[in-house]
Amino acid sequence: MSYIPLQIDQAELERLAEDIMIEKQLVIDLDRRRNDNRVALRSLSTATAPKKSHFFAGGLFIRLPTPTVQKLLIKDQTNIDGEINRLRDSMKEHARELEALESGAGNVKRNRGFDLKGMRKEDLSSIARHPTVE
Amino acid sequence: MAATTISTQIPGGPGLADVKELTRMERIGAHSHIRGLGLDDALEARATSQGMVGQLQARKAAGVILEMIKDGKIAGRAILMAGAPGTGKTAIAMGMAQALGTDVPFTMLASSEIFSLEMSKTEALTQAFRKSIGVRIKEETELIEGEVVEVQVDRSATGAGAKTGKLTLKTTDMETIYDLGQKMIEALNKEKVSAGDVITIDKASGKITKLGRSFSRAKDYDAMGSDTRFVQCPEGELQKRKEMVHTVTLHEIDVINSRTQGFLALFSGDTGEIKSEVRDQINSKVAEWREEGKADIVPGVLFIDEVHMLDIECFSFLNRALEDDMSPVVIMASNRGITRIRGTNYTSPHGLPIDLLDRLLIITTTPYTEKEVKHILSIRCEEEDVDMTDDAKEILTKIGIETSLRYSIHLITAASLVSRKRKATEVDVEDIKRVYSLFLDEKRSVQYLKEYQQQFMFNDYTDTMEAPQAMEM
């Protein structure tokens, strides 16, 4: 009877690990799109940009005036930024759960401290820099 | 052997392994064989485990304390480890330090270190207390990390206009082009970034750091500078969020804020007296961070050895300091019975005033049995890399019981050197006998001194003139 819980635990671990891998890949794909959007925005904002450009969305090419296309691209960028941040937080949460399952809820060593709010360099002006050894 | 939060990283490399081997001999201290407390999951002490032998009760008690520390919810607890000399008090403290790991600040202090000309006793104690409390913070940076494929800088036709450029960065998963402005081009030129370098650009400050050269470009040139490092092409997304968790102690924050270039004082050790205004400021800042969820307090352990050497003023200070809400767990060790409290003429158990004793949890250590002594000696032989025959071990155990554990431990290396002189691989009984006759233990030395003085009593000189002559020889 103690054989079954072990099996469930393993499946749970694998599920969490799979989630983390999927999210990692999603972040990479989103970042690729973000960079492409950025390059597009840059080329549209130069003086030699055409008055109307083709915008690809949902399997269709739509011909729109360039300022509209720019607005759409910027909106897409902010969406992607928000999505990437959400995915990163979710990855952290899953990694924490994974470690809690692996080594017991009290022994979370690798992920300790990552739930703190980040400090920027300005805040750190009064602190020494000593990386933890773990 | 104190484990503090300042970690020195020894860079890995094939050449450095030899250096480590050579210096290993110096690093074998009296307690280097201890890896932990040797408790199982139910906090029961195993007879011999992780370098600890015997002392089951004391180790179990230490295990309970350890759980309390790991929970982090207790502050201001104080423990006294009392026992005869050579019964494992410092060993248990070392075991606790190892079991806690490098994340928790563990400061070891011998009481006599408090007394110094540079700073007052209370300042030294306050610094020791603050060295034992850690603050965990997380540093967050957004940066762009990738391998440079191409750097292209266009100068305008007139030659005096602003430079523009394009930087192509790639990782194993993606590649993109960045448009560069004047400042960025200058920074790239300053760092001498070329195709094949792996760089990091900090988004907030625009700082460029060269991490090395990519492996795939290692064969580009036949001759390269001696300091070129090769790194793998980065993986994943170009724009990463890097988070690093640091643990610093309150003392380190104090020192850095106490004067300009304060962080240099951390390394030189010359911290001097730190004003209480600075400390109050730090306390309020850390409390603020705690409220905002930016920092975690990590209460650590302060181990004060030979606590009977502190005087009554230090004890009053300790009483007060233990009641602070940001106080570490204090473990004291004493091997005195009922002695005089330093600074007064009153006697008290363990040399501590009764009001301090009232606040302490007391763990006693008992002297070792013969079997335990034998086991400890085997562990030390292994640690010091000495092979010994079983007969020699028996003799050494008997010596350990009759004289003291420390004396027999010290004989181990001496006996191994003697055995090497007669070209033997194992230490045998004759080696032990030889070092036993060469090096006296405490009792025999006292006896020798008494006999020695006896010799002079048969002279014709008077008593008063004997004393200086005895000293000369």
Side-chain angles (χ1 to χ4, degrees):
Chain A
M1 280 299 115
S2 57
Y3 170 87
I4 295 172
L6 200 66
Q7 225 180 11
I8 291 176
D9 275 347
Q10 196 59 29
E12 188 62 34
L13 288 177
E14 292 292 327
R15 202 175 302 137
L16 278 171
E18 189 68 30
D19 283 340
I20 296 176
M21 305 268 263
I22 292 176
E23 280 161 358
K24 237 199 231 179
Q25 195 54 42
L26 266 175
V27 169
I28 293 175
D29 292 333
L30 282 173
D31 195 42
R32 200 178 292 133
R33 228 175 83 190
R34 185 168 52 178
N35 277 316
D36 288 341
N37 283 354
R38 186 184 44 78
V39 173
L41 269 173
R42 196 129 267 294
S43 63
L44 284 179
S45 59
T46 59
T48 57
K51 284 253 184 63
K52 286 196 179 187
S53 343
H54 293 276
F55 181 74
F56 182 77
L60 296 171
F61 278 100
I62 308 174
R63 193 143 185 268
L64 289 170
T66 306
T68 324
V69 176
Q70 279 178 312
K71 263 196 238 132
L72 285 170
L73 281 175
I74 291 174
K75 210 171 99 179
D76 201 20
Q77 287 288 69
T78 34
N79 279 347
I80 294 178
D81 281 336
E83 189 63 22
I84 289 183
N85 281 334
R86 196 191 62 76
L87 281 170
R88 284 191 174 138
D89 291 333
S90 168
M91 258 200 287
K92 253 198 322 203
E93 193 49 50
H94 285 155
R96 217 194 153 83
E97 274 174 39
L98 189 64
E99 212 204 333
L101 274 180
E102 267 180 350
S103 48
N107 292 347
V108 180
K109 278 213 166 105
R110 279 196 316 255
N111 290 359
R112 198 157 39 183
F114 283 98
D115 51 344
L116 292 169
K117 279 210 206 99
M119 291 234 251
R120 303 258 143 197
K121 281 215 159 62
E122 312 84 57
D123 297 321
L124 286 182
S125 54
S126 59
I127 307 273
R129 315 261 236 108
H130 297 283
T132 52
V133 179
E134 280 240 50
Chain B
M1 283 273 218
T4 68
T5 53
I6 298 183
S7 55
T8 48
Q9 289 198 318
I10 305 174
L16 282 155
D18 312 327
V19 177
K20 267 174 115 169
E21 265 304 306
L22 282 173
T23 51
R24 193 183 112 84
M25 192 65 196
E26 286 109 63
R27 294 222 202 112
I28 298 177
H31 297 109
S32 60
H33 60 283
I34 296 179
R35 310 261 171 271
L37 278 177
L39 305 172
D40 61 19
D41 290 328
L43 285 186
E44 285 295 322
R46 300 197 189 95
T48 54
S49 165
Q50 287 187 310
M52 301 285 303
V53 175
Q55 291 299 353
L56 299 171
Q57 290 292 82
R59 279 160 60 202
K60 256 197 286 191
V64 172
I65 308 275
L66 218 58
E67 287 302 306
M68 293 203 317
I69 297 174
K70 276 190 198 155
D71 279 343
K73 292 199 184 102
I74 50 113
R77 274 268 190 268
I79 292 114
L80 173 66
M81 303 200 50
T87 49
K89 299 186 289 296
T90 315
I92 293 184
M94 289 296 326
M96 286 176 84
Q98 300 283 5
L100 279 173
T102 45
D103 198 37
V104 178
F106 190 97
T107 317
M108 272 181 92
L109 185 67
S111 298
S112 314
E113 287 174 35
I114 305 271
F115 303 104
S116 105
L117 286 173
E118 287 177 349
M119 56 176 103
S120 67
K121 293 177 285 199
T122 47
E123 174 67 25
L125 274 175
T126 314
Q127 283 193 10
F129 267 75
R130 283 174 84 85
K131 273 186 200 158
S132 319
I133 302 177
V135 179
R136 193 184 293 136
I137 51 176
K138 183 181 79 164
E139 188 192 344
E140 215 173 51
T141 37
E142 292 252 351
L143 40 77
I144 299 172
E145 188 184 30
E147 180 189 331
V148 176
V149 177
E150 185 190 11
V151 183
Q152 185 190 338
V153 178
D154 309 316
R155 206 160 305 173
S156 68
T158 58
K163 294 190 233 178
T164 59
K166 286 195 194 310
L167 169 70
T168 314
L169 276 180
K170 74 165 193 177
T171 68
T172 54
D173 292 298
M174 57 204 278
E175 180 175 331
T176 188
I177 302 180
Y178 288 92
D179 273 12
L180 302 170
Q182 178 77 6
K183 284 252 161 61
M184 199 43 109
I185 294 177
E186 280 169 23
L188 285 172
N189 278 337
K190 208 172 96 171
E191 291 286 323
K192 300 209 183 63
V193 171
S194 59
D197 289 333
V198 176
I199 63 170
T200 301
I201 306 175
D202 185 299
K203 275 202 94 175
S205 60
K207 191 159 124 73
I208 300 182
T209 321
K210 245 209 277 196
L211 297 175
R213 234 178 131 66
S214 170
F215 275 119
S216 51
R217 302 294 216 108
K219 299 288 194 286
D220 271 6
Y221 306 111
D222 291 326
M224 275 176 287
S226 55
D227 56 346
T228 25
R229 256 181 327 159
F230 289 105
V231 289
Q232 267 190 337
C233 183
E235 292 184 328
E237 68 272 27
L238 269 168
Q239 191 171 322
K240 295 187 167 80
R241 196 211 287 172
K242 269 224 163 84
E243 295 178 358
M244 277 181 290
V245 174
H246 305 274
T247 309
V248 287
T249 62
L250 282 179
H251 173 70
E252 287 166 15
I253 309 179
D254 288 346
V255 171
I256 290 176
N257 281 326
S258 66
R259 53 195 209 190
T260 53
Q261 302 287 304
F263 55 91
L264 288 177
L266 269 179
F267 298 111
S268 69
D270 173 28
T271 50
E273 303 252 351
I274 299 176
K275 296 197 189 57
S276 58
E277 295 99 52
V278 173
R279 291 214 164 103
D280 289 335
Q281 210 180 30
I282 303 288
N283 282 349
S284 57
K285 207 192 280 192
V286 172
E288 202 183 287
W289 285 337
R290 263 174 108 181
E291 301 262 309
E292 295 173 8
K294 284 189 184 166
D296 253 346
I297 302 275
V298 185
V301 179
L302 172 63
F303 180 72
I304 306 181
D305 212 347
E306 319 265 325
V307 72
H308 44 81
M309 293 300 288
L310 293 178
D311 61 15
I312 188 74
E313 293 160 10
C314 299
F315 290 135
S316 317
F317 178 81
L318 276 178
N319 282 338
R320 181 63 188 73
L322 283 174
E323 282 162 11
D324 205 61
D325 59 352
M326 281 218 282
S327 157
V329 173
V330 180
I331 304 182
M332 308 183 200
S334 166
N335 57 20
R336 299 281 203 266
I338 299 187
T339 35
R340 191 177 66 91
I341 304 173
R342 265 189 110 182
T344 65
N345 284 326
Y346 299 110
T347 55
S348 182
H350 307 296
L352 303 174
I354 307 233
D355 58 349
L356 181 59
L357 279 173
D358 202 21
R359 291 163 216 268
L360 306 173
L361 294 168
I362 306 187
I363 303 176
T364 45
T365 55
T366 51
Y368 289 109
T369 62
E370 185 172 336
K371 238 176 58 173
E372 289 167 354
V373 171
K374 184 154 188 224
H375 207 106
I376 294 176
L377 288 171
S378 318
I379 295 178
R380 281 311 296 177
C381 284
E382 246 179 74
E383 181 72 15
E384 296 180 15
D385 230 351
V386 170
D387 287 318
M388 214 182 266
T389 60
D390 286 328
D391 293 331
K393 275 192 192 152
E394 283 295 328
I395 292 261
L396 205 56
T397 312
K398 291 237 159 25
I399 293 176
I401 299 282
E402 276 166 33
T403 57
S404 85
L405 180 61
R406 285 208 178 93
Y407 175 69
S408 51
I409 290 178
H410 291 152
L411 286 186
I412 294 175
T413 310
S416 88
L417 286 166
V418 169
S419 75
R420 226 182 287 166
K421 279 275 182 250
R422 62 178 180 92
K423 310 262 194 298
T425 50
E426 273 189 329
V427 171
D428 209 352
V429 179
E430 49 183 295
D431 305 316
I432 304 274
K433 282 192 175 152
R434 184 152 169 77
V435 279
Y436 182 74
S437 62
L438 284 175
F439 299 108
L440 300 179
D441 60 288
E442 173 221 338
K443 285 186 200 142
R444 279 184 293 157
S445 160
V446 168
Q447 212 176 1
Y448 182 76
L449 200 59
K450 281 194 187 146
E451 281 173 25
Y452 180 71
Q453 281 187 344
Q454 289 277 21
Q455 282 184 346
F456 276 80
M457 281 169 84
F458 292 117
N459 289 340
D460 293 336
Y461 294 126
T462 57
D463 261 282
T464 49
M465 287 183 71
E466 276 170 40
Q469 275 193 331
M471 285 299 129
E472 267 166 46
M473 294 190 60

